[in-house]
Amino acid sequence: MPLEPKARKKDRGRIRRYHIVVAILLAGLVPSILMLVVSYTILTKTLETKILRDRQTFVQLIAHLVGDDLGGKSTIIEYYQTLPEMTRLLTNPDPALAGQQWLGHTFFSHPRIDGMFITDPEGRLIASVPANPDLVGQDYGSSLWRKEAIAATGAIVSPVHPRAPDHRIVTDVVGAVRAPDGSVVGFLGVSVLVERIGRRLSTIGFTDQSVCQILDQKGAALFTQNFEANPTLRSAEIDSLIGPIRQNKVGHLERGGNVYSFTTLESSGWTTVLRQPTIVAYKPVEDLLNKMTVLSIWMMVLTTIFAWLGAKFYRRQAEASLRIEREVIFNEKILANMPSGIALVDPGSRHFLQANEAFAEMATRFGQLPEKIDIHEATYDDVKIAPDDAIEKVLRFGAPFQLIEHSFVDRSGQTRFVNVNLLRLQGPDQTIQGILYLVEDKTRDVTLRQELINANAAKDQFLALLSHELRNPLTPVIAMVGELEAITTNKPEVREALEIIRRNVELEARLIDDLLDVTRIAKGKLQLSFEIVSVDEILRRAYEICGDEIDEKEQRVEFRLKAERAWVEADPARLQQVFWNLIKNAVKFTPKGGRIIIETFNPQPNEIEIKVTDTGIGIEKGKIEKVFNAFEQGQSSITRRFGGLGLGLAISKAMVAAHGGQIAVHSDGKEKGASFTVRLETVAAPAPVEPAKVTPLPAATAPTNSPQKHPRHVLVVDDHLDTCRGMKLMLERRGYKISVAHSADQAIAKADSETFDLVISDIGLPDRNGYDLMQELTARFGLHGIALSGFGMESDIRRAHAAGFSEHLTKPINFDRLEDAIRRLLAQQGAPAPQNGAGRERDGEA
């Protein structure tokens, strides 16, 4: 008996839980089911009706646009057909002449028409614009409009048809011209090109796979899908719909998975049809139903969950409270441990309502907040991170305030870079809840970025030093080749071997120059020295450089220099490099016995086009866009077969762009040759300059190997022993007395003990650079100097001249250029250079 009340209490509790479950289920499931029923019935039909009504409105707007265009032409006809002048013109004894004159005057007063014509009462042509004398007196398509025009009081629109003079698709707007007694004396019409109507319609933004079509009164389709005139005037798709469209005139059809909305222009009988896939047209309905279904399912699921939770409410209440408490603590810890400073500022008092530990630390470290003040007791004005007036601007205008990588000096004197953001927080009722204050320390990112910048600069310096070190060994090689050529004149096989060595050393130097050019271009440091030059002359210079290889491959080169204006403003050396690259490319990729055409012409009066065409291996269609990329030659097999780094065309493109020009390539495919085209702006030819009177130099003495009585004394300074040895041999053979030093201190010591006429010095010396050496030699001994260096950038040349060097030559040394520079400097000092009979080096820069 004592247990019975407990059993009843337990049963009552179970029943109460069941009541809660049933109540929650009824409260959640019934609305969800009703929402689904309404969505799939009433709401679906309402939305579909709205979509179709909106489509019909859009179609009517398009029809109105076309009707307005044709109506404007009808107004023109209706105006002129009632003028007595037209009746007199058509009853004139010579209506053709009078009509053509009248059309010539009237047509150009109406820019939106594409043709105009006058016919006699039988529809035979009297005059037209565009004029076509062959059609005068012939029927001008009157079967399309004559009957309707006679019956109408105003203008009528004809079906579309090809226009007789030029067969372009047009529609004619025609009106009958009547005598005072009402009889028809002729017809006046204007032609409107279908393509004009299409251009106007193409300005409308048709989206979501919508396609618009216009049908004339005979059902002909005016346009293709891109609103160009339809030459066939037929469309299989429209032909299957023409019957229902003509029967209903206005409405919608669903066929083949598409929705067709159409309306008829009453004034012309034309029909506007808009096609759209059914799935796209009704996609908003489908999306809404999907969302409503998902929402209903979620509501049912949530209702079930809530019912289950309601049944367990009493037992789970304590656990739920504990869980909520844990979540609050977890969120507070996340905020407290975030590395970025986050705070919330009260908009009225400007006190910090909330702030994490990172913000408090930043405010103390570099925000000038005293350590003894707690962040929650401080105000916005106490923390000197954001400007004082920034919070006012944020509160007043609502626009976020932002500082990017702003620098601060912290208490330890270290510079910190910080991003600062102030954001206005608003509640649902648009009231301002506070200002979110975000501070992010970006010092590490700024430091890493600066390290990357420094690393990039170090990379450029490394390339410059690498080029210097690569050039140094080439100079003694060139010197020794010249020395061997001088002593083996009667051995062709040896001279051929030496020529191979020289050619490959020069190629090595060219590759180094290309790498440096790519670096200059990438850094935007390509410097040009502009002057007015002749394209024809620079082309011939570039061709001469490739002459030996052309002869070796027995290739035929044809010049077609047809450009009358061939002067441009350019850097002659860089432009010659471009043309050399193009000609070299043609020679390289054209087989033995092939043909190369070099031509120029003026496509416009102020432009010149240079074209290099070959009969070589050609370029595949998929590779043609890559030929101007650095280190690319279209495909790896090309690189293996012909060699090279693939830099020439990339450098040429950059140099042509620096001259304000364009370069392009064309090829019909593999083994079909290629053509490269350079287009530049021309300038007027320079005025002829009177040749200066030059005193001829004395003739060279007969070849001799005997030393001069007083040979000129030259000091050569270079830390590369082989370079010194090679230059000493070559210059002594040319009649100079040579002393060698391997450091700046040795050079100063020799200058103290000996007298020199000239110094030739490397720049990179072990104890100090050649610039400092030249300044001291000039100041103490008044010596002239020639700089030799592997550094060949424009800045290096300027620095050499500033240090006192008269000339700057880049390694590997071209000894002809070196000797010319020596002779020129010695001549400036008033004494002739020694004459010698030693073999000259091959002309051309290494």
Side-chain angles (χ1 to χ4, degrees):
M1 292 297 294
L3 296 175
E4 188 173 342
K6 292 183 179 180
R8 288 199 201 97
K9 187 176 181 180
K10 186 175 181 181
D11 291 339
R12 284 198 299 270
R14 187 181 296 112
I15 293 171
R16 190 179 296 114
R17 289 198 298 271
Y18 289 153
H19 288 170
I20 293 172
V21 171
V22 172
I24 294 176
L25 289 175
L26 290 176
L29 295 179
V30 172
S32 300
I33 295 172
L34 289 176
M35 184 170 61
L36 282 177
V37 172
V38 171
S39 299
Y40 278 90
T41 55
I42 301 173
L43 189 58
T44 300
K45 292 182 179 179
T46 302
L47 287 177
E48 289 179 352
T49 302
K50 179 66 169 59
I51 289 171
L52 293 177
R53 186 165 58 250
D54 290 344
R55 286 174 57 84
Q56 188 64 43
T57 301
F58 184 58
V59 172
Q60 288 174 350
L61 287 175
I62 298 173
H64 178 75
L65 182 65
V66 176
D68 180 66
D69 195 13
L70 297 176
K73 313 303 185 297
S74 299
T75 302
I76 296 172
I77 295 301
E78 290 170 357
Y79 169 74
Y80 286 115
Q81 74 178 138
T82 58
L83 292 180
E85 178 185 359
M86 287 302 303
T87 304
R88 290 194 299 272
L89 186 149
L90 288 168
T91 56
N92 190 293
D94 188 4
L97 178 61
Q100 195 64 45
Q101 291 176 347
W102 184 85
L103 287 180
H105 171 75
T106 306
F107 173 74
F108 295 101
S109 301
H110 304 284
R112 294 181 64 185
I113 62 177
D114 303 297
M116 205 166 185
F117 61 88
I118 301 173
T119 71
D120 64 10
E122 302 302 322
R124 293 185 291 270
L125 183 65
I126 294 176
S128 66
V129 173
N132 193 331
D134 295 337
L135 297 177
V136 174
Q138 297 184 19
D139 184 79
Y140 203 67
S142 62
S143 61
L144 298 172
W145 44 261
R146 181 173 177 273
K147 184 177 178 180
E148 289 80 2
I150 292 174
T153 57
I156 61 97
V157 178
S158 77
V160 295
H161 60 280
R163 184 166 60 180
D166 52 15
H167 300 290
R168 297 170 75 179
I169 306 300
V170 298
T171 181
D172 296 329
V173 182
V174 186
V177 181
R178 303 179 188 275
D181 58 359
S183 61
V184 176
V185 297
F187 297 93
L188 174 65
V190 298
S191 297
V192 182
L193 287 172
V194 168
E195 60 194 58
R196 175 190 289 275
I197 302 173
R199 283 196 299 270
R200 191 171 182 186
L201 290 179
S202 65
T203 60
I204 301 174
F206 292 95
T207 58
D208 296 331
Q209 304 178 38
S210 297
V211 177
C212 181
Q213 182 60 272
I214 305 296
L215 310 178
D216 68 2
Q217 53 266 58
K218 290 188 175 182
L222 273 64
F223 305 115
T224 60
Q225 286 197 1
N226 55 358
F227 286 107
E228 295 181 357
N230 183 7
T232 63
L233 298 179
R234 305 302 305 171
S235 170
E237 178 184 17
I238 296 299
D239 288 346
S240 64
L241 303 173
I242 195 66
I245 289 176
R246 286 184 173 176
Q247 181 179 357
N248 297 320
K249 294 188 177 180
V250 177
H252 309 277
L253 290 173
E254 291 190 25
R255 295 283 182 84
N258 293 313
V259 177
Y260 298 88
S261 299
F262 55 91
T263 188
T264 302
L265 285 71
E266 295 297 336
S267 59
S268 61
W270 288 14
T271 303
T272 302
V273 182
L274 183 68
R275 185 197 72 193
Q276 190 177 30
T278 303
I279 191 172
V280 176
Y282 294 123
K283 189 175 185 300
V285 178
E286 190 70 24
D287 291 344
L288 180 61
L289 290 177
N290 290 337
K291 291 178 181 178
M292 296 298 288
T293 302
V294 172
L295 180 59
S296 298
I297 293 173
W298 273 108
M299 288 180 64
M300 294 178 185
V301 172
L302 291 175
T303 299
T304 305
I305 294 174
F306 289 149
W308 179 77
L309 291 176
K312 302 293 183 180
F313 176 73
Y314 296 105
R315 187 169 58 86
R316 293 293 187 92
Q317 186 175 10
E319 296 179 2
S321 299
L322 182 60
R323 185 171 62 253
I324 292 173
E325 184 179 354
R326 288 199 300 266
E327 290 177 355
V328 170
I329 295 173
F330 179 70
N331 290 335
E332 288 180 352
K333 287 185 177 180
I334 289 178
L335 184 64
N337 294 320
M338 286 188 67
S340 298
I342 303 176
L344 182 64
V345 183
D346 182 75
S349 65
R350 299 194 181 184
H351 278 84
F352 289 98
L353 301 176
Q354 296 288 339
N356 67 351
E357 185 178 347
F359 185 88
E361 183 184 354
M362 293 178 183
T364 303
R365 190 191 311 164
F366 51 80
Q368 302 180 22
L369 180 69
E371 294 183 0
K372 61 182 179 180
I373 299 180
D374 185 81
I375 188 63
H376 296 93
E377 298 175 358
T379 65
Y380 171 86
D381 297 324
D382 295 331
V383 179
K384 305 299 183 182
I385 296 179
D388 294 339
D389 60 344
I391 191 171
E392 292 293 343
K393 294 179 181 178
V394 173
L395 288 171
R396 182 177 303 174
F397 303 108
F401 173 81
Q402 188 177 49
L403 290 176
I404 302 296
E405 296 180 0
H406 191 70
S407 61
F408 293 92
V409 179
D410 62 15
R411 292 179 183 273
S412 65
Q414 182 182 0
T415 301
R416 315 294 299 183
F417 297 92
V418 177
N419 288 353
V420 181
N421 292 275
L422 296 179
L423 304 173
R424 189 174 75 181
L425 299 181
Q426 291 181 298
D429 56 351
Q430 300 301 313
T431 58
I432 300 176
Q433 304 294 317
I435 300 296
L436 188 62
Y437 201 145
L438 304 174
V439 182
E440 185 178 5
D441 192 342
K442 305 294 289 185
T443 304
R444 183 172 178 272
D445 294 345
V446 174
T447 303
L448 289 176
R449 184 168 65 246
Q450 189 59 46
E451 289 176 356
L452 289 175
I453 293 173
N454 294 338
N456 189 52
K459 180 263 296 179
D460 294 337
Q461 181 66 21
F462 170 75
L463 283 177
L465 291 173
L466 178 63
S467 70
H468 177 267
E469 295 304 322
L470 290 175
R471 289 175 185 271
N472 265 337
L474 301 181
T475 297
V477 175
I478 290 290
M480 292 301 98
V481 169
E483 190 68 21
L484 291 173
E485 285 177 338
I487 62 177
T488 58
T489 55
N490 296 325
K491 297 181 179 180
E493 65 278 5
V494 177
R495 293 189 63 83
E496 181 180 359
L498 294 174
E499 179 62 27
I500 292 173
I501 296 173
R502 179 190 295 277
R503 184 164 61 248
N504 282 275
V505 170
E506 292 173 350
L507 176 59
E508 188 76 20
R510 179 75 261 169
L511 293 177
I512 296 171
D513 288 340
D514 284 348
L515 285 172
L516 291 179
D517 281 340
V518 168
T519 302
R520 294 188 190 104
I521 292 167
K523 294 175 65 66
K525 293 185 177 181
L526 183 64
Q527 298 182 353
L528 303 176
S529 178
F530 287 94
E531 59 184 82
I532 297 177
V533 296
S534 169
V535 170
D536 295 348
E537 180 180 350
I538 293 180
L539 274 173
R540 293 190 182 279
R541 288 182 196 169
Y543 164 74
E544 290 170 0
I545 297 175
C546 303
D548 293 343
E549 190 172 354
I550 292 172
D551 294 340
E552 181 182 345
K553 298 183 75 172
E554 299 178 5
Q555 294 170 340
R556 293 174 296 148
V557 178
E558 181 180 348
F559 279 88
R560 300 175 182 175
L561 307 181
K562 301 179 181 179
E564 298 180 359
R565 292 176 61 89
W567 294 87
V568 298
E569 188 173 8
D571 184 318
R574 292 302 191 182
L575 193 59
Q576 179 175 323
Q577 184 179 356
V578 172
F579 294 157
W580 177 82
N581 274 329
L582 298 183
I583 298 174
K584 177 74 174 178
N585 227 45
V587 174
K588 180 178 181 179
F589 296 114
T590 300
K592 186 174 182 180
R595 186 177 64 165
I596 300 171
I597 300 175
I598 303 172
E599 54 186 327
T600 64
F601 52 89
N602 298 116
Q604 296 183 16
N606 62 337
E607 287 186 350
I608 184 172
E609 196 167 287
I610 304 97
K611 191 172 184 180
V612 179
T613 305
D614 62 64
T615 58
I617 65 173
I619 307 170
E620 297 179 11
K621 294 295 183 182
K623 309 292 184 181
I624 199 165
E625 296 181 357
K626 298 182 179 180
V627 297
F628 291 112
N629 295 344
F631 305 105
E632 293 230 22
Q633 291 184 330
Q635 56 199 67
S636 58
S637 60
I638 299 297
T639 304
R640 292 194 299 268
R641 180 179 171 190
F642 294 96
L645 295 178
L647 295 176
L649 293 178
I651 294 171
S652 297
K653 182 177 181 180
M655 289 183 179
V656 171
H659 284 81
Q662 297 175 342
I663 186 170
V665 60
H666 173 76
S667 175
D668 290 331
K670 191 174 181 180
E671 305 301 337
K672 294 185 178 180
S675 62
F676 287 84
T677 304
V678 175
R679 180 171 291 193
L680 300 169
E681 291 188 6
T682 60
V683 297
V689 179
E690 288 292 333
K693 293 183 179 180
V694 179
T695 304
L697 295 174
T701 59
T704 176
N705 292 320
S706 60
Q708 298 290 320
K709 292 183 179 180
H710 301 288
R712 306 311 298 270
H713 199 177
V714 178
L715 174 61
V716 175
V717 186
D718 199 309
D719 59 330
H720 195 263
L721 301 182
D722 290 340
T723 298
C724 287
R725 188 178 297 112
M727 290 183 61
K728 186 173 188 300
L729 288 173
M730 293 296 292
L731 292 175
E732 285 180 345
R733 184 166 54 80
R734 284 169 161 76
Y736 298 97
K737 180 181 178 182
I738 304 299
S739 294
V740 174
H742 301 300
S743 67
D745 291 342
Q746 288 183 15
I748 296 298
K750 285 184 178 289
D752 282 329
S753 60
E754 301 180 54
T755 300
F756 295 101
D757 299 296
L758 187 70
V759 61
I760 301 174
S761 175
D762 188 19
I763 298 300
L765 298 175
D767 47 358
R768 48 185 163 142
N769 62 48
Y771 304 127
D772 296 336
L773 172 62
M774 191 66 228
Q775 288 176 345
E776 183 173 351
L777 291 176
T778 302
R780 291 182 56 186
F781 307 106
L783 282 175
H784 291 274
I786 298 174
L788 304 181
S789 175
F791 301 103
M793 300 180 70
E794 287 79 358
S795 58
D796 300 321
I797 298 174
R798 287 197 302 269
R799 188 176 178 186
H801 287 304
F805 286 107
S806 301
E807 298 283 345
H808 181 286
L809 301 179
T810 304
K811 295 180 179 180
I813 301 304
N814 181 302
F815 282 92
D816 280 349
R817 292 187 61 192
L818 176 61
E819 187 175 12
D820 289 342
I822 293 173
R823 288 177 177 275
R824 185 163 55 253
L825 293 180
L826 293 179
Q828 292 174 4
Q829 300 178 41
Q835 304 292 333
N836 70 89
R840 298 277 297 195
E841 300 297 325
R842 192 181 71 169
D843 191 18
E845 183 179 354

